[in-house]
């Protein structure tokens, strides 16, 4: 941990404390800084992503007519933590 003597906007600090649910200013500021760093890194990752044009795979596959049909019960059960859909 690093000690720092900071001058902060009192209303912003109080709102940060209230919204974060933390009990101390230090923990609230630490949480806010952690969230800021997380979001800044996520933004950089998105900036590195190459935009993909719409229709890139046009003509490479056909969506079957049954695409929007309800899934079979055994498949739904496997998604909900039930049995193995392969029947094993």
């Amino acid at each position: 941990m690093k000690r720092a003597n900071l001058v902060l906007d009192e209303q912003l600090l109080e709102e940060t404390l209230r919204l974060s649910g933390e009990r101390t200013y230090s923990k609230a500021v630490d949480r806010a800084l952690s969230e800021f760093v997380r979001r800044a890194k996520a933004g950089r990752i998105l900036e590195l992503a190459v935009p993909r044009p719409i229709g890139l795979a046009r003509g490479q596959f056909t969506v079957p007519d049954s695409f929007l049909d309800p899934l079979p019960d055994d498949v739904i059960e496997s998604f909900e933590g039930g049995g193995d859909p392969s029947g094993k």
Side-chain angles (χ1 to χ4, degrees):
M1 287 285 175
K2 168 126 178 112
R3 278 194 166 277
N5 192 10
L6 304 171
V7 178
L8 302 171
D9 179 305
E10 187 175 349
Q11 288 180 324
L12 185 59
L13 186 57
E14 290 296 333
E15 187 172 14
T16 301
L17 190 66
R18 182 180 58 79
L19 292 172
S20 71
E22 298 293 349
R23 298 176 124 186
T24 66
Y25 292 132
S26 291
K27 289 204 182 226
V29 170
D30 189 56
R31 185 170 175 181
L33 288 172
S34 295
E35 181 66 14
F36 173 81
V37 169
R38 185 189 69 78
R39 289 182 183 207
K41 286 180 178 178
R44 285 196 199 117
I45 290 170
L46 291 176
E47 288 172 8
L48 295 174
V50 178
R52 296 174 53 114
I54 295 174
L56 188 64
R58 183 178 291 137
Q60 294 182 14
F61 69 95
T62 303
V63 177
D65 292 335
S66 63
F67 182 75
L68 295 176
D69 290 353
L71 292 170
D73 289 341
D74 61 325
V75 174
I76 292 172
E77 190 175 313
S78 68
F79 275 103
E80 294 174 345
D84 182 352
S86 66
K88 295 179 183 175

